Amino acid sequence: MTTSKHGEKPTIHVIDSEADALYELAMSIEERSPDVAGKLCEELDRADVVAAEDMPSDVVTMRSEVEFVDERSGDRRKIQLVWPRDANMDENRLSVLTLVGAGLIGMRAGSAINWPDRSGKERCLRIVEVRQPVRADRAA
């Protein structure tokens, strides 16, 4: 698990084109959801921004399928991290504009982060596995 003894957050990576769109999304919800907007911007501000072709395959990006565990409760979830328009919890598609979604973006398999939930309770989220979507340009 990659969290430090001093509570430092693990290094995260974000695809350059996704970073711009995510900043725009965060700004668009700043008035109605300042907590989510603020947390997402904090994560983007500290992210290592890379080109899509340079992104390691075990990093959570938009449309990644992610298995993670809440280290404190033991709850384990499998979700797909999606843009808000594609969110559907009945199909385990979690919006990046949720607190948990904002905490997952850019994380690597094996890393963990202390992160608040909707009630303000801090959880330790550990990434178990990341699977990337099949992209149209790679499917042929």
Side-chain angles (χ1 to χ4, degrees):
M1 172 165 53
T2 46
T3 51
S4 79
K5 294 177 186 173
H6 306 292
E8 295 170 5
K9 294 179 181 175
T11 301
I12 62 171
H13 308 278
V14 179
I15 296 173
D16 52 6
S17 60
E18 290 181 354
D20 293 339
L22 290 167
Y23 269 120
E24 287 180 26
L25 271 177
M27 297 287 93
S28 75
I29 66 159
E30 192 171 27
E31 284 189 31
R32 73 176 182 271
S33 296
D35 53 343
V36 175
K39 284 295 204 183
L40 183 55
C41 284
E42 284 175 23
E43 291 301 277
L44 293 170
D45 286 346
R46 69 183 196 83
D48 179 18
V49 179
V50 300
E53 59 271 13
D54 296 328
M55 181 62 71
S57 63
D58 65 344
V59 172
V60 178
T61 61
M62 295 307 299
R63 297 184 52 232
S64 293
E65 293 177 4
V66 184
E67 181 176 355
F68 66 97
V69 63
D70 178 338
E71 293 283 327
R72 298 211 167 95
S73 69
D75 291 341
R76 186 177 286 249
R77 292 183 61 193
K78 287 184 182 181
I79 59 94
Q80 181 181 32
L81 188 64
V82 297
W83 300 101
R85 68 182 172 273
D86 299 322
N88 182 330
M89 285 314 297
D90 291 337
E91 296 176 8
N92 295 316
R93 294 192 318 238
L94 180 69
S95 172
V96 70
L97 290 185
T98 61
L99 280 171
V100 171
L104 295 176
I105 192 75
M107 297 282 291
R108 281 189 104 143
S111 63
I113 191 168
N114 291 324
W115 199 256
D117 63 14
R118 286 183 297 204
S119 69
K121 180 180 173 186
E122 195 160 282
R123 299 172 175 222
C124 181
L125 305 178
R126 182 176 50 85
I127 308 301
V128 176
E129 182 180 12
V130 178
R131 291 183 25 198
Q132 297 302 327
V134 175
R135 299 192 190 271
D137 58 322
R138 295 183 194 163

